[in-house]
Amino acid sequence: MPALPARFAGLILAFAPLFVHRSWRHAQLLLVGAILTPGRRTVTGVLRIMGRAHERQFVNVHRILNRAAWCPRSGSRILLTRLVGAFAPHGPVVLALDDTIERRWGRRIRARGIYRDPVRSSDSHFVKASGLRWMSLMLLAPIPWAGRVWALPFFTGLVPSERACQEQGRRHKPLLGRTPTRLASSPLAARARPRAGWR
């Protein structure tokens, strides 16, 4: 692991409590590599940019994402706290919700559904897209050096399709038709309140 400036090392170390010691070594590699990797941030790309392209035990790095026991919700709270401290320390804290469709197929991908493609559809033309629907919760913050407001995602959750919920015996909660107040009180938005007194 290359030595990091103290300022960046402090940001990375804020996520250390989420992991046990052995997992943290691999998670730290992923965090630093994801920052440095241009283009698509795959595990293979991270290992290559970190000088670990010939790593024999590369499967251990993959297991951080699919097997290691750590809480993404706690990680999102740490990330939000850091983002607010850096870009909105004096408020107001403005959040936004946005969804995206990930086109995936396969027998084991049970949460996928059929949705309206927001890119290829128009007011007069409806295009369907099959895949997974993800909902992202973002902090809207003015970026001084950009001269504009950026949407900084800190938590992304999977929104299962109605069919997937029925197959699993769970109640489907549609997003369409919800008022801003109901969306703000949803479990996804509630995770954006890491400290008492936040609204």
Side-chain angles (χ1 to χ4, degrees):
M1 178 69 62
L4 295 174
R7 184 175 181 181
F8 292 104
L11 294 174
I12 298 297
L13 290 174
F15 297 90
L18 298 173
F19 304 90
V20 297
H21 177 69
R22 181 179 298 180
S23 298
W24 169 240
R25 289 189 292 118
H26 301 304
Q28 189 176 6
L29 180 71
L30 285 176
L31 284 171
V32 176
I35 296 173
L36 299 177
T37 302
R40 296 186 59 188
R41 291 170 175 83
T42 62
V43 174
T44 303
V46 166
L47 291 175
R48 184 181 300 112
I49 202 70
M50 296 298 291
R52 304 288 186 89
H54 302 289
E55 179 74 36
R56 293 185 177 182
Q57 301 296 330
F58 64 90
V59 66
N60 293 330
V61 182
H62 281 274
R63 286 173 177 168
I64 293 296
L65 301 177
N66 59 18
R67 291 190 181 182
W70 59 282
C71 182
R73 299 177 185 178
S74 299
S76 69
R77 290 190 175 190
I78 295 174
L79 179 56
L80 175 61
T81 301
R82 293 287 175 166
L83 290 175
V84 171
F87 298 107
H90 306 295
V93 176
V94 182
L95 303 180
L97 284 168
D98 189 25
D99 67 323
T100 184
I101 305 299
E102 179 187 7
R103 291 167 176 81
R104 296 287 298 275
W105 296 269
R107 295 181 179 179
R108 297 187 178 182
I109 303 178
R110 301 176 180 177
R112 66 187 178 99
I114 298 177
Y115 308 98
R116 177 183 180 273
D117 190 323
V119 176
R120 296 184 294 172
S121 299
S122 63
D123 293 338
S124 59
H125 185 61
F126 183 87
V127 179
K128 296 180 180 179
S130 176
L132 301 174
R133 188 180 192 187
W134 297 89
M135 182 67 68
S136 294
L137 194 55
M138 301 166 288
L139 172 69
L140 299 183
I143 308 299
W145 61 84
R148 63 182 63 185
V149 174
W150 281 9
L152 306 175
F154 60 88
F155 185 84
T156 300
L158 179 63
V159 182
S161 64
E162 183 176 0
R163 183 185 65 180
C165 291
Q166 292 176 352
E167 292 176 351
Q168 298 176 7
R170 300 169 57 185
R171 184 170 64 91
H172 181 247
K173 300 178 181 179
L175 295 176
L176 295 178
R178 291 193 180 187
T179 63
T181 302
R182 293 183 62 186
L183 280 173
S185 61
S186 65
L188 185 66
R191 294 161 193 158
R193 306 186 184 103
R195 296 196 299 262
W198 281 39
R199 295 186 298 171

